[in-house]
Amino acid sequence: GQNIDQPTEMTATEGAIVQINCTYQTSGFNGLFWYQQHAGEAPTFLSYNVLDGLEEKGRFSSFLSRSKGYSYLLLKELQMKDSASYLCAVRDLRNYGGATNKLIFGTGTLLAVQP
Amino acid sequence: GAGVSQSPSNKVTEKGKDVELRCDPISGHTALYWYRQSLGQGLEFLIYFQGNSAPDKSGLPSDRFSAERTGGSVSTLTIQRTQQEDSAVYLCASSRYSNQPQHFGDGTRLSIL
């Protein structure tokens, strides 16, 4: 089966650092994505990890441990505009009879940044 | 436009009617995906198209759902005999190649009365 878990909600203070965790249990794993989604808008791509380790991109960093089925998204110097849902998604390349490339999403973590 | 375009942005219809949702992917993107997002739920994969290969339809919830992609570009998702549980935001995404990040459209908010 496939299971992706992330906290439902988090609250943090403007200027601080927040870490959003994601654990997964899937077969056919081929990479983990983080997306940001503001209310009523499309998800936007933040980061992609396929190998173990940390990927840094400005104020955002993402970490992956494949052996532990674990990832986190780190947001530094939080701004009010960072208030959004953060979606963890695993790429599934299992062969169903043909090639596939679907993303399996967690339910998302709603982050509220307070002044 | 430069992004994935979906239409209509909102659709309200009566139970039992058929609906068609349209997706224009980013120009040059070979892969196209449909997902749906219900209130309080994560995005749920529906179907994946890659070039001229047979699509992965494994996420379609019932035979009332179908999708096609004509000419390797525009895609249409059709829901026949709509039910109230079909109410959701239907999101389309595309990527240049299958191993690259997916870029999402703003979605179609479907409400079944």
Side-chain angles (χ1 to χ4, degrees):
Chain A
Q2 299 165 323
N3 194 37
I4 299 177
D5 289 315
Q6 44 182 139
T8 304
E9 296 181 353
M10 297 183 72
T11 302
T13 303
E14 191 175 14
I17 299 173
V18 70
Q19 177 174 311
I20 303 174
N21 296 325
C22 171
T23 59
Y24 64 89
Q25 294 173 323
T26 68
S27 52
F29 175 86
N30 198 272
L32 187 142
F33 294 79
W34 285 95
Y35 282 82
Q36 179 191 60
Q37 187 177 28
H38 286 98
E41 298 183 9
T44 55
F45 169 73
L46 289 178
S47 69
Y48 170 54
N49 296 70
V50 65
L51 300 176
D52 291 350
L54 188 68
E55 293 283 340
E56 297 187 79
K57 190 185 296 185
R59 295 189 300 114
F60 294 74
S61 302
S62 58
F63 171 83
L64 175 67
S65 169
R66 289 171 296 171
S67 62
K68 296 181 179 178
Y70 168 69
S71 173
Y72 67 72
L73 179 70
L74 194 70
L75 291 77
K76 303 175 186 176
E77 301 169 16
L78 280 173
Q79 303 175 7
M80 298 298 291
K81 68 178 182 180
D82 296 331
S83 294
S85 278
Y86 291 86
L87 312 179
C88 173
V90 169
R91 195 163 108 210
D92 181 351
L93 288 183
R94 282 179 304 158
N95 191 314
Y96 70 104
T100 191
N101 184 43
K102 57 190 176 186
L103 292 181
I104 310 299
F105 282 86
T107 53
T109 298
L110 183 61
L111 174 65
V113 180
Q114 299 178 338
Chain B
V4 177
S5 177
Q6 292 188 245
S7 61
S9 55
N10 284 282
K11 177 73 175 178
V12 181
T13 192
E14 294 178 347
K15 176 182 172 181
K17 301 287 188 182
D18 297 352
V19 295
E20 282 191 356
L21 312 180
R22 177 187 169 101
C23 172
D24 279 279
I26 295 172
S27 178
H29 280 198
T30 63
L32 187 147
Y33 316 78
W34 284 97
Y35 296 85
R36 73 176 175 182
Q37 189 172 32
S38 303
L39 194 63
Q41 303 294 316
L43 274 74
E44 175 190 4
F45 167 79
L46 297 177
I47 189 168
Y48 158 66
F49 295 92
Q50 173 61 60
N52 295 322
S53 302
D56 175 4
K57 304 179 181 180
S58 62
L60 296 179
S62 77
D63 59 8
R64 296 187 295 105
F65 287 72
S66 62
E68 62 178 21
R69 188 180 185 193
T70 54
S73 181
V74 171
S75 177
T76 302
L77 177 69
T78 301
I79 309 174
Q80 296 178 311
R81 304 180 303 280
T82 52
Q83 304 294 313
Q84 287 188 329
E85 61 263 29
D86 299 335
S87 296
V89 176
Y90 288 80
L91 290 159
C92 176
S94 70
S95 61
R96 183 170 295 280
Y97 302 109
S98 60
N99 64 347
Q100 295 190 344
Q102 298 174 25
H103 299 271
F104 286 82
D106 287 336
T108 294
R109 184 173 298 277
L110 177 64
S111 299
I112 309 300
L113 303 178

